[in-house]
């Protein structure tokens, strides 16, 4: 089915072949990313900060630039997830088009005509869905909730916050933008809007926030694990065991869950640290979600209890490691320490972080480095150096909305 779909043109002629085992390799995937992996490059200034004396194990820090992963608008981690969802969107009989609170809704009689999704006011996910819709020749409706997170409440100019940044880009992309007030029931159940669209002759395809609750949401980052393994060898890290630690944002959860499933399938141990960005829910809630997403992805890519163990046997709570000390006072709220991390990264590495996700990830990573959590790992194993990967998931377009605090 995937081979019959139109492809998104890219300017790159480089191709890195990522070999996936069966049945993962047979799952339909639509190319949204460049035909070469998002780059991994060293962060030399941050790495130099990690070694105070020659007697200490060296910590080498690298960045994987998911914000450079696609030719479409505001590249970031959601495009990788959407690659496995598009074949269903364009199918003559979509299977996963419904709202998660109403899974028995009527089937679509043909490919989707409009993508509908949700998010906080400065949602990166909605922009990537809107951009994808335009590329596929579809309409887009994005639902942005004033009640999600604290970024809007913390803003000194709330009117500007709901007009600028990702909101502005959604509109520029031609998406219909609907701002939901706090307490609006549509923020919890979009079925009335979906029914309204069906009644008007549209075939709406619902993509939940972050695409994590979508049945195929974890597959993109399961594939990313194999891509990272290829890049480790290209960087000459294969002999040292590759990246010992991988730090990545944990919002809705399937990015972390997919990575766990992919590395488990590749049979290469990795310490994947998901950095939480919101204090709204306690860590055990997120741990359960990530475990479920990882197991769901694992079951789809080959852990079936036949040639491999079941997903439940292969992945347990010990595989889920989440960091919750840097969530701050609210989702989307930029505190002074996280703002300082943005300045450090910009002024030492010329890498621009976003205020919601990646700045908190970088702050958590540097805490682990500077407070000896990673160095102790090296000492226990007799290692002279440790390789750390920071996954940059994008989101810089939101910066315009934070002009009053940055």
């Amino acid at each position: 089915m995937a081979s019959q779909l139109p492809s998104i043109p890219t300017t790159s002629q480089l191709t890195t072949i990522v070999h996936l085992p069966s049945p993962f390799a047979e799952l339909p995937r639509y190319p949204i990313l460049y035909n070469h992996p998002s780059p991994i490059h060293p962060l030399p200034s941050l790495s130099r900060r990690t070694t105070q004396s020659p007697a200490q194990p060296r910590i080498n820090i690298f960045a994987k630039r998911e914000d450079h992963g696609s030719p479409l608008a505001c590249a970031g981690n959601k495009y990788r997830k959407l690659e496995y969802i598009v074949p269903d969107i364009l199918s003559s009989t979509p299977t996963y088009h419904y709202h998660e609170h109403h899974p028995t809704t009527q089937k679509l009689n043909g490919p989707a005509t409009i993508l509908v999704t949700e998010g906080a006011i400065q949602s990166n996910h909605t922009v990537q869905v809107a951009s994808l819709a335009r590329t596929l020749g579809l309409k887009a409706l994005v639902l942005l909730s004033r009640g999600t997170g604290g970024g809007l409440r913390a803003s000194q100019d709330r009117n500007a916050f709901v007009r600028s940044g990702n909101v502005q880009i959604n509109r520029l992309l031609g998406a219909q933008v609907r701002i939901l007030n706090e307490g609006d029931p549509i923020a919890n159940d979009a079925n009335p809007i979906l029914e309204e669209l069906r009644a008007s002759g549209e075939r709406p395809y619902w993509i939940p926030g972050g695409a994590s609750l979508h049945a195929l949401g974890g597959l993109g980052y399961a594939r990313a694990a194999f891509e990272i393994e290829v890049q480790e060898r290209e960087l000459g890290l294969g002999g040292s065991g590759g990246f010992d630690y991988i730090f990545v944002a944990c919002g809705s959860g399937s990015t972390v869950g997919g990575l766990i499933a992919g590395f488990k399938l590749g049979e290469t141990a990795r310490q994947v640290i998901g950095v939480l960005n919101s204090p709204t829910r306690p860590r055990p809630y997120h741990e359960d979600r990530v475990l479920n997403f990882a197991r769901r992805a694992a079951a789809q890519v080959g852990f079936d209890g036949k040639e491999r163990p079941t997903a439940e046997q292969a992945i347990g709570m010990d595989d889920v490691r989440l960091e919750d000390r840097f969530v701050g006072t609210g989702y989307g709220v930029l505190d002074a320490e996280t703002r300082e991390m943005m300045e450090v990264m910009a002024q030492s590495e010329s890498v621009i972080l976003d205020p919601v996700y990646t700045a908190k990830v970088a702050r958590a990573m540097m805490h682990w480095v500077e407070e000896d959590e990673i160095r102790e790992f090296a000492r226990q194993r007799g290692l002279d150096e440790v390789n750390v990967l920071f996954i940059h998931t994008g989101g810089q377009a939101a910066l315009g909305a934070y002009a009053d605090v940055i």
Side-chain angles (χ1 to χ4, degrees):
M1 177 169 56
S3 61
Q4 300 174 355
L5 303 177
S7 62
I8 297 175
T10 70
T11 56
S12 174
Q13 300 302 312
L14 299 175
T15 302
T16 294
I17 299 176
V18 176
H19 295 286
L20 302 177
S22 182
F24 194 2
E26 283 75 55
L27 295 177
R29 169 179 163 264
Y30 180 89
I32 299 173
L33 307 180
Y34 287 117
N35 63 353
H36 58 86
S38 62
I40 292 179
H41 63 81
L43 297 176
S45 294
L46 287 189
S47 296
R48 282 194 294 271
R49 285 179 45 168
T50 70
T51 305
Q52 284 75 41
S53 72
Q56 290 181 319
R58 177 176 174 79
I59 301 176
N60 306 308
I61 304 176
F62 296 78
K64 182 166 176 62
R65 304 301 297 274
E66 294 289 81
D67 59 325
H68 292 175
S70 172
L72 302 190
C74 303
N77 64 319
K78 304 306 186 294
Y79 283 133
R80 192 180 288 275
K81 297 183 183 184
L82 291 167
E83 286 196 314
Y84 281 94
I85 299 175
V86 172
D88 191 53
I89 291 171
L90 298 183
S91 168
S92 58
T93 56
T95 303
Y96 305 111
H97 60 283
Y98 48 77
H99 189 278
E100 59 267 24
H101 292 164
H102 190 191
T104 57
T105 190
Q106 66 190 60
K107 295 183 179 298
L108 297 186
N109 296 317
T113 61
I114 181 170
L115 304 185
V116 185
T117 194
E118 63 179 348
I121 295 295
Q122 288 299 326
S123 165
N124 306 319
H125 164 78
T126 60
V127 166
Q128 291 173 57
V129 169
S131 178
L132 174 65
R134 305 314 303 167
T135 302
L136 298 176
L138 306 177
K139 301 173 187 176
L141 168 61
V142 300
L143 308 174
L144 303 178
S145 175
R146 291 176 179 267
T148 300
L152 176 62
R153 288 188 290 274
S155 175
Q156 298 175 25
D157 188 343
R158 297 184 184 183
N159 289 329
F161 196 90
V162 298
R163 293 197 315 269
S164 57
N166 282 322
V167 182
Q168 181 183 26
I169 294 173
N170 267 315
R171 292 197 166 110
L172 186 62
L173 288 166
Q176 179 185 345
V177 177
R178 181 165 172 175
I179 306 291
L180 306 178
N181 291 321
E182 192 165 357
D184 191 321
I186 296 297
N188 295 318
D189 185 358
N191 273 297
I193 285 182
L194 300 178
E195 296 297 340
E196 184 181 307
L197 289 168
R198 290 189 191 95
S200 69
E202 298 284 2
R203 293 190 293 274
Y205 193 104
W206 171 255
I207 302 175
S212 286
L213 288 173
H214 193 284
L216 307 174
L219 296 176
Y221 272 88
R223 186 179 189 277
F226 285 84
E227 181 176 297
I228 290 169
E229 289 182 352
V230 172
Q231 292 177 285
E232 288 171 334
R233 293 192 292 272
E234 292 175 347
L235 289 166
L237 302 180
S240 63
F243 293 111
D244 301 284
Y245 282 83
I246 298 175
F247 288 84
V248 64
C250 183
S252 56
S254 66
T255 296
V256 178
L259 283 170
I260 292 170
F263 283 123
K264 187 70 69 168
L265 184 64
E267 299 179 351
T268 305
R270 295 289 186 281
Q271 301 279 342
V272 178
I273 311 298
V275 179
L276 295 171
N277 56 80
S278 173
T280 308
R281 301 272 193 169
R283 188 173 67 187
Y285 168 86
H286 293 284
E287 288 172 338
D288 287 339
R289 277 173 64 97
V290 170
L291 178 61
N292 289 333
F293 292 148
R295 285 176 169 174
R296 183 182 65 188
Q300 292 169 313
V301 301
F303 289 98
D304 57 4
K306 297 175 183 177
E307 295 184 6
R308 298 184 180 91
T310 65
E312 288 72 20
Q313 292 169 335
I315 300 175
M317 192 58 80
D318 289 347
D319 297 303
V320 179
R321 302 191 65 183
L322 301 185
E323 167 62 79
D324 66 348
R325 289 175 290 178
F326 303 93
V327 295
T329 59
Y331 172 84
V333 178
L334 182 63
D335 56 45
E337 293 82 3
T338 307
R339 181 183 183 277
E340 181 182 1
M341 188 68 242
M342 295 180 71
E343 292 177 346
V344 168
M345 187 70 87
Q347 294 170 23
S348 65
E349 299 287 359
S350 295
V351 173
I352 304 302
L353 304 177
D354 85 288
V356 182
Y357 296 99
T358 56
K360 292 182 178 180
V361 177
R363 186 179 164 207
M365 175 183 68
M366 293 310 296
H367 176 88
W368 279 57
V369 167
E370 293 168 351
E371 296 300 317
D372 263 7
E373 293 186 53
I374 291 179
R375 195 165 280 114
E376 182 59 29
F377 167 88
R379 293 192 189 101
Q380 291 175 359
R381 288 160 179 78
L383 301 176
D384 294 328
E385 58 182 3
V386 177
N387 297 314
V388 173
L389 182 64
F390 159 67
I391 298 183
H392 193 319
T393 51
Q396 298 97 320
L399 283 171
Y402 287 80
D404 56 355
V405 291
I406 296 178

